[in-house]
Amino acid sequence: MHPFIDSGRGFAFGEAIYPAGGVYGPLKDRYVTLLIIHEGKARVFSDDSETMLGPRSCGFFRNEHRLFIEYAEGRNTRVSWCEGYAGEVAEAIAMRLRSLPSRIALSQRIEALQRLGVELGAGSSSNLNLLRNALGETIFLAYFHEAQMSEQERLTPRSVLRARFYMDENYEKEITVDRLAALVGVTPQHLVSSFRKHVGVTPVRYLWQVRAARGHFLLLQTGLPISDIAYQCGYKNPFHFSRQISEQFGMSPRQVRANKGYRVASDVAEGAGDTAYGMALSGTKTILQIADGQSHEIQR
């Protein structure tokens, strides 16, 4: 468990609807809270800070003394949350948590994790608690990741974002730095310098990474000939495609396709038998013994 959570108490998930607004709190214990507004609005008071959350947004709060939430009066608000008790943290970690954006747009990833947490219910057992806590840790990590990405995008020049988006959508076309720079309204030298600073690679290198990633996907998910995949992804010949796939993924295109990126199942690796149980019409147990692809039905 991460140090901002009291590992002895874990996480809890919940959801509620306020048809015409309302309030929650004040809570006086120390909590870490991920609050999601699916519909409506909320004003969150966490110690001395105040944060407004609108529809399809989520916020992260770690209070020391007080947490109080107001839901907009006169309107329907649907809200859900994941919370835990705040653990003792070093000042360096506390500063890092305070530096995070207090709210971001609600992503499909966070919404899906939250739905799974709520569906677990409030029951208690060793395995259920372990699963709930694993989901709780995961949803907070998802928030931290997306908040960081959101902050990076906020600080990234518009010209770089536009150039990256264009390459993501048009990787199969012939794209040069000069043409890309003209599209986003900067000089080629400025684009290369700014792109390297904010993305970590040059625009050309980024383009080849996008093409290789798309080619890898098509190798695994389609039966297209390797040469067709190469041309569809913007490569001038299959040899260049093969070299880049080998550099990025450590396998040739044929090896990627043969391996499929999956681990061999244990029944195949060990030649194990497989037995499944069902019920016969008479109510007696039916055993289906599956071996070498053949099923043998045995009545008992």
Side-chain angles (χ1 to χ4, degrees):
M1 200 74 69
H2 279 262
F4 64 88
I5 290 288
D6 183 338
S7 60
R9 302 206 239 179
F11 295 89
F13 290 84
E15 62 180 354
I17 295 177
Y18 293 80
V23 297
Y24 181 73
L27 304 178
K28 297 182 180 179
D29 210 339
R30 295 190 304 169
Y31 293 92
V32 287
T33 306
L34 189 73
L35 187 69
I36 298 174
I37 305 299
H38 303 273
E39 177 185 351
K41 291 184 178 181
R43 188 190 304 269
V44 183
F45 301 89
S46 179
D47 295 333
D48 297 327
S49 67
E50 178 182 334
T51 304
M52 285 292 302
L53 294 177
R56 303 290 301 169
S57 67
C58 58
F60 168 76
F61 307 97
R62 183 182 184 276
N63 68 287
E64 289 288 340
H65 311 292
R66 180 176 181 268
L67 183 69
F68 183 73
I69 306 171
E70 291 181 348
Y71 297 104
E73 187 174 354
R75 64 182 300 168
N76 185 72
T77 297
R78 183 165 66 91
V79 58
S80 65
W81 60 87
C82 176
E83 66 182 13
Y85 289 92
E88 296 286 349
V89 297
E91 181 57 27
I93 296 176
M95 289 180 61
R96 176 72 185 97
L97 293 175
R98 288 194 294 267
S99 72
L100 287 168
S102 58
R103 62 178 180 267
I104 62 173
L106 177 60
S107 68
Q108 291 182 349
R109 177 189 292 114
I110 290 178
E111 190 169 27
L113 290 169
Q114 176 67 16
R115 184 168 57 251
L116 289 173
V118 169
E119 289 173 354
L120 289 178
S124 180
S125 69
S126 295
N127 287 336
L128 182 60
N129 293 342
L130 286 172
L131 177 57
R132 185 185 293 114
N133 291 344
L135 273 173
E137 185 169 2
T138 301
I139 197 171
F140 275 94
L141 289 174
Y143 182 93
F144 298 157
H145 168 70
E146 293 182 16
Q148 183 181 31
M149 295 301 292
S150 176
E151 182 71 4
Q152 287 175 352
E153 293 225 338
R154 188 181 70 80
L155 298 174
T156 300
R158 182 171 174 80
S159 59
V160 172
L161 293 176
R162 289 176 60 200
R164 191 175 68 185
F165 178 78
Y166 182 83
M167 288 187 283
D168 288 343
E169 296 296 313
N170 298 277
Y171 56 84
E172 77 284 0
K173 297 179 180 177
E174 185 172 349
I175 300 174
T176 65
V177 171
D178 287 349
R179 182 182 178 191
L180 200 57
L183 283 171
V184 301
V186 297
T187 66
Q189 294 80 5
H190 179 81
L191 178 62
V192 170
S193 174
S194 188
F195 207 95
R196 183 188 287 114
K197 176 182 177 181
H198 293 280
V199 181
V201 294
T202 65
V204 171
R205 184 60 181 166
Y206 178 81
L207 176 61
W208 288 121
Q209 289 176 353
V210 171
R211 287 170 169 169
R214 179 60 180 170
H216 187 263
F217 171 83
L218 292 175
L219 286 169
L220 291 175
Q221 302 298 329
T222 75
L224 290 171
I226 292 174
S227 58
D228 287 0
I229 293 175
Y231 295 128
Q232 283 190 23
C233 293
Y235 292 89
K236 293 186 179 299
N237 60 70
F239 303 104
H240 187 197
F241 174 65
S242 180
R243 186 169 67 250
Q244 286 223 314
I245 290 294
S246 297
E247 288 176 358
Q248 289 206 33
F249 300 99
M251 292 182 287
S252 70
R254 293 187 186 280
Q255 290 171 326
V256 168
R257 177 161 277 173
N259 184 48
K260 287 293 185 186
Y262 301 117
R263 178 181 61 83
V264 177
S266 60
D267 61 334
V268 175
E270 301 184 24
D274 190 13
T275 302
Y277 296 95
M279 295 301 295
L281 292 178
S282 64
T284 59
K285 182 176 287 186
T286 301
I287 302 175
L288 298 177
Q289 183 68 42
I290 306 170
D292 299 327
Q294 300 297 316
S295 298
H296 308 282
E297 187 169 305
I298 305 168
Q299 296 287 344
R300 279 189 177 177

